[in-house]
């Protein structure tokens, strides 16, 4: 088993000297890490520390921390014929999944990586209610364990969904046809991938929801019913562990049921449940299931790919004109 967050701890530890400013992440001498909340304009700064306390500290006692982790790319970076966009979970970084998809489990993925590009974007740093601190997060989460009835304010979701949709549009514009694009993610990233797949203007090949949930504020059941994913045959792989105490198994089952009830294709017609599987690790049998899904959806490229891209771009241009009609209601819930 591979612990996803071991990589993240190292990635978040990179520090550089810089000038303090409001919003900056800093290390405070003898107190720990926090975020600058206010310039007191007397040579001191008010800092909200990650342990929940706060205080005023002189500039000399602060060391600015560079926690901007870069997006990562794996596989064919020059002329890919297929694309996987993979979204990490809360407090994680791309490093963990880069290791899983490459060095840790390299052999099964080598044939795929010869023509498949894997994009691993990093979530922004923001304060998360469930953590009580600033960390990598695609949007705010109120608390855990996650279940199907937990409240969902939707803060930050729209920005992250739009980022994923731009990645899809950019891939199509670069020459990768929608039938050669899969998005997926783990935990919070899985929930984001699901929302993006159901709100995309085009039908992509597939979506992987690993230990994720359906975001209530995005009204995904309504979106699914009229989605390009449902009409275009996007395939969904929904996986969950029966010992997941962070995102309960009921969330995975709810995702699979919601998709099927609204005309979407779910692999094996149900959530794939892994016995003895928790949340913050990734087992080889889980990765094998992802690999098999990718192999089926994204075999080596075909000569028809270029024609499909041209047709898709033309369809998008036509759809954009329709969406500009003020009387047209889009299935995207603003938050």
């Amino acid at each position: 088993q591979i612990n996803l967050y071991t990589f993240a701890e190292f990635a978040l530890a990179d520090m550089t000297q810089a000038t303090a400013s409001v919003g900056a992440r800093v290390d405070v001498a003898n107190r720990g890490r926090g975020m600058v909340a206010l310039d007191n304009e007397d040579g001191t700064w008010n800092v909200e520390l990650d342990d929940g306390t706060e205080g005023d500290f002189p500039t000399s006692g602060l060391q600015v921390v560079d926690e901007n982790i870069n997006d990562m790319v794996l596989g064919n970076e020059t002329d890919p014929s297929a694309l996987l966009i993979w979204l990490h979970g809360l407090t994680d970084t791309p490093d963990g999944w880069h290791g899983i998809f490459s060095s840790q489990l390299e052999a099964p993925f080598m044939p795929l990586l010869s023509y498949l590009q894997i994009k691993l974007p990093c979530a922004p740093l923001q304060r998360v209610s469930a953590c009580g601190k600033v960390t990598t997060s695609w949007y705010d989460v109120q608390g855990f364990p996650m279940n199907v009835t937990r409240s969902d304010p939707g803060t930050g979701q729209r920005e992250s969904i739009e980022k994923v949709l731009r990645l899809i549009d950019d891939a199509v514009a670069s020459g990768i046809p929608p039938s050669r694009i899969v998005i997926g993610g783990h935990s919070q990233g899985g929930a984001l991938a699901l929302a993006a797949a159901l709100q995309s203007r085009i039908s992509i090949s597939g979506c992987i929801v690993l230990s994720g949930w359906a975001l209530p504020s995005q009204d995904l059941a309504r979106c699914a019913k009229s989605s390009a994913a449902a009409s275009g045959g996007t395939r969904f792989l929904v996986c969950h562990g029966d010992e997941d105490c962070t995102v309960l198994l009921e969330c995975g089952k709810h995702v699979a049921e919601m998709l099927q009830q609204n005309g979407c294709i779910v692999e094996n017609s149900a959530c794939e449940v892994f016995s003895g599987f928790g949340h913050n690790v990734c087992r080889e049998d889980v990765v094998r299931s992802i690999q098999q899904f990718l192999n089926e959806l994204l075999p080596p490229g075909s000569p028809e790919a270029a024609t499909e891209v041209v047709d898709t771009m033309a369809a998008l241009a036509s759809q954009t004109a329709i969406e500009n009609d003020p009387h047209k209601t889009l299935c995207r819930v603003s938050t």
Side-chain angles (χ1 to χ4, degrees):
Q1 299 188 100
I2 303 166
N3 193 309
L4 300 175
Y5 299 103
T6 300
F7 296 91
E9 291 169 2
F10 288 104
L12 289 170
D14 183 34
M15 296 186 297
T16 60
Q17 294 287 346
T19 304
S21 60
V22 175
R25 292 283 286 160
V26 294
D27 274 337
V28 181
N30 303 316
R31 290 292 299 272
R33 188 162 294 184
M35 183 175 68
V36 177
L38 180 68
D39 181 355
N40 293 324
E41 299 184 351
D42 60 359
T44 66
W45 304 81
N46 181 262
V47 178
E48 296 179 353
L49 294 159
D50 290 353
D51 63 8
T53 62
E54 58 90 26
D56 296 329
F57 305 96
T59 301
S60 60
L62 305 181
Q63 184 176 37
V64 175
V65 180
D66 181 7
E67 290 185 340
N68 291 317
I69 303 95
N70 294 326
D71 298 347
M72 302 184 77
V73 179
L74 178 66
N76 189 319
E77 296 187 36
T78 55
D79 58 346
S81 66
L83 173 68
L84 169 65
I85 300 169
W86 189 264
L87 310 166
H88 65 74
L90 177 65
T91 77
D92 199 4
T93 68
D95 299 73
W97 283 99
H98 187 281
I100 289 171
F101 287 137
S102 57
S103 61
Q104 297 295 327
L105 294 168
E106 191 173 63
F109 277 93
M110 284 309 293
L112 277 168
L113 294 182
S114 65
Y115 61 87
L116 172 69
Q117 181 178 106
I118 302 178
K119 285 193 173 183
L120 301 158
C122 187
L125 286 163
Q126 55 187 294
R127 179 165 293 280
V128 178
S129 300
C131 304
K133 64 179 183 179
V134 173
T135 186
T136 48
S137 178
W138 296 109
Y139 44 83
D140 192 27
V141 178
Q142 291 294 294
F144 292 103
M146 184 63 63
N147 56 42
V148 296
T149 60
R150 181 171 287 281
S151 61
D152 171 26
T155 308
Q157 291 177 11
R158 173 50 42 207
E159 293 83 354
S160 289
I161 291 170
E162 292 293 347
K163 177 174 182 175
V164 178
L165 295 178
R166 283 194 299 272
L167 289 174
I168 295 172
D169 289 345
D170 289 347
V172 174
S174 73
I176 300 177
S179 65
R180 306 279 295 162
I181 299 173
V182 172
I183 62 175
H186 169 250
S187 189
Q188 188 193 48
L192 175 59
L194 174 65
L198 294 177
Q199 296 184 26
S200 175
R201 297 183 298 166
I202 57 178
S203 171
I204 59 174
S205 182
C207 176
I208 303 167
V209 184
L210 173 60
S211 306
W213 67 93
L215 299 172
S217 65
Q218 295 301 317
D219 197 3
L220 295 183
R222 180 173 65 88
C223 286
K225 189 171 297 185
S226 59
S227 67
S231 61
T234 297
R235 289 165 60 180
F236 290 83
L237 176 64
V238 183
C239 303
H240 221 101
D242 64 359
E243 293 187 3
D244 193 331
C245 299
T246 303
V247 180
L248 303 184
L249 176 58
E250 66 182 63
C251 293
K253 291 183 174 180
H254 171 254
V255 167
E257 292 169 1
M258 179 272 294
L259 289 169
Q260 285 194 296
Q261 289 171 0
N262 290 283
C264 294
I265 301 171
V266 177
E267 295 297 290
N268 305 312
S269 300
C271 173
E272 185 173 357
V273 179
F274 289 86
S275 178
F277 181 50
H279 189 76
N280 291 342
V281 295
C282 192
R283 291 195 323 216
E284 291 192 22
D285 55 342
V286 178
V287 177
R288 281 197 300 272
S289 182
I290 294 173
Q291 179 214 352
Q292 181 179 353
F293 184 68
L294 293 174
N295 280 333
E296 291 176 1
L297 267 60
L298 306 175
S302 67
E304 292 78 19
T307 301
E308 183 182 345
V309 171
V310 172
D311 291 344
T312 300
M313 296 299 287
L316 281 176
S318 175
Q319 186 172 350
T320 299
I322 295 173
E323 289 173 351
N324 287 333
D325 182 343
H327 301 293
K328 173 77 172 181
T329 301
L330 298 180
C331 189
R332 294 191 184 181
V333 181
S334 299
T335 58

